[in-house]
């Protein structure tokens, strides 16, 4: 019996997919869901009991907010394509969702609740693609399923714990204070994203554009790329020098130089190029 060697493409980094960064994003999903599930669970009571709105107002507010959240995910996907921008969108989205959601506690009219709810759900939609892109940056391709499964599990746990916490807060401090206190887990979620970015991802390194294929450039004595010289550039230089001579002639415009004179103006190494380019 012979022992089978492990696959060559298996590395320790691929085995350890549950890194601190993945745990940080999972914690952010849990805390964020706890934070916005509290206002969601108490929104009917706020609208009907506190503000005296009909039940139809709740349906209209929730429908518009969900539609905006779906549309914002498309825009968030465009923003998440930029590595530096996706980090800002993720942090800002989590923080804005927490603040706007908790701000509904101070609303005194139904339209204010609708406006704040719609803005909070728009920020929530913007942050989702950025968070998913950050998670993809943290794990190898073979561990995407496990990493995203862990993040979804933490999100669902927050959706369970949030309403239970809302019931306890209502019995303790009332509806409006319970909604206002939901900002705490929301901001903790934004802090978890900041921790993940700073401790695991590091700064974004700008990419240098590749040189077009087929272009050959020399090197100077200092190691820097030498400027590319073409016949068109040399011709333009010679014509500019000719124009300068014409402008400074004491008797007005000087006649144009002939071909031999233009070739004499160029350096010796470029004279064949100038002559062939003018012909």
């Amino acid at each position: 019996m012979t022992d089978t060697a492990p696959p060559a493409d298996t590395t320790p980094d691929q085995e350890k997919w549950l890194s601190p960064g993945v745990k940080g994003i999972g914690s952010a999903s849990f805390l964020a869901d706890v934070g916005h599930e509290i206002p969601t669970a108490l929104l009917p009571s706020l609208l009907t009991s506190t503000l005296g709105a009909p039940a139809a107002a709740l349906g209209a507010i929730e429908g518009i907010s969900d539609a905006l959240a779906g549309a914002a995910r498309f825009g968030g996907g465009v923003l998440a394509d930029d590595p530096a921008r996706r980090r800002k969108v993720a942090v800002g989205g989590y923080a804005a969702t927490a603040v706007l959601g908790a701000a509904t506690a101070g609303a005194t009219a139904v339209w204010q609740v609708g406006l704040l709810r719609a803005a909070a759900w728009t920020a929530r939609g913007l942050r989702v693609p950025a968070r998913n892109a950050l998670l993809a940056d943290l794990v190898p391709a073979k561990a995407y399923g496990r990493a995203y499964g862990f993040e979804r599990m933490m999100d669902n746990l927050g959706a369970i714990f949030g309403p239970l916490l809302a019931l306890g807060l209502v019995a303790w401090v009332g509806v409006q204070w319970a909604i206002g206190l939901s900002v705490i887990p929301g901001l903790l979620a934004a802090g978890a994203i900041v921790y993940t970015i700073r401790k695991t991802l590091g700064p974004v390194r700008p990419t240098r554009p590749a040189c077009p294929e087929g272009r050959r450039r020399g090197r100077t004595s200092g190691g820097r790329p030498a400027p590319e010289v073409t016949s068109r550039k040399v011709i333009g230089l010679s014509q500019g020098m000719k124009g300068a001579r014409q402008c400074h002639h004491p008797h007005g415009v000087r006649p144009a130089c002939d071909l031999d004179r233009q070739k004499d103006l160029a350096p010796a190494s470029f004279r064949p190029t100038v002559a062939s380019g003018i012909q």
Side-chain angles (χ1 to χ4, degrees):
M1 180 180 292
T2 59
D3 296 335
T4 59
D9 58 349
T10 301
T11 62
D13 291 336
Q14 293 175 343
E15 296 293 336
K16 299 178 181 180
W17 62 271
L18 193 58
S19 62
V22 175
K23 294 177 182 178
I25 291 183
S27 300
S29 295
F30 172 80
L31 293 169
D33 235 53
V34 170
H36 66 69
E37 284 295 335
I38 294 175
T40 300
L42 300 179
L43 188 60
S45 177
L46 177 67
L47 287 172
T48 57
S49 300
T50 305
L51 300 178
L58 175 63
I61 291 173
E62 289 293 89
I64 295 173
S65 299
D66 287 338
L68 290 175
R73 293 194 181 195
F74 178 77
V78 176
L79 297 175
D81 286 337
D82 185 358
R85 189 177 294 173
R86 78 175 58 137
R87 302 180 179 196
K88 298 178 182 178
V89 172
V91 176
Y94 275 95
T97 303
V99 173
L100 293 171
T104 57
T108 58
V110 176
W111 69 267
Q112 295 176 357
V113 175
L115 183 63
L116 291 170
R117 182 73 169 179
W121 251 227
T122 300
R124 184 188 179 196
L126 284 173
R127 83 186 186 203
V128 171
R131 180 203 62 207
N132 293 341
L134 289 176
L135 188 58
D137 291 339
L138 292 169
V139 295
K142 291 186 177 181
Y144 282 167
R146 285 169 286 178
Y148 283 106
F150 175 77
E151 185 274 328
R152 288 290 86 196
M153 178 193 72
M154 297 296 289
D155 185 271
N156 290 335
L157 288 176
I160 296 172
F161 187 75
L164 297 177
L165 180 60
L167 292 177
L169 290 175
V170 167
W172 180 35
V173 295
V175 172
Q176 290 178 300
W177 271 102
I179 295 175
L181 290 175
S182 66
V183 72
I184 298 176
L187 292 180
L188 289 176
I193 293 293
V194 173
Y195 167 81
T196 300
I197 292 173
R198 291 186 175 181
K199 297 298 183 180
T200 62
L201 291 176
V204 177
R205 296 180 180 179
T207 58
R208 181 177 298 177
C211 184
E213 186 177 358
R215 178 183 292 180
R216 297 180 180 179
R217 300 178 63 179
R219 294 277 176 176
T220 61
S221 59
R224 295 186 298 272
E228 183 181 6
V229 180
T230 62
S231 60
R232 182 177 299 177
K233 292 181 179 180
V234 177
I235 294 170
L237 176 62
S238 64
Q239 291 177 351
M241 295 173 65
K242 178 185 69 176
R245 293 195 309 274
Q246 292 175 353
C247 294
H248 291 83
H249 194 267
H251 300 292
V253 178
R254 186 174 183 176
C257 297
D258 55 4
L259 179 60
D260 294 335
R261 180 59 176 167
Q262 292 188 29
K263 288 190 292 184
D264 293 338
L265 291 173
S269 60
F270 297 145
R271 287 175 188 174
T273 306
V274 175
S276 61
I278 298 178
Q279 290 177 355

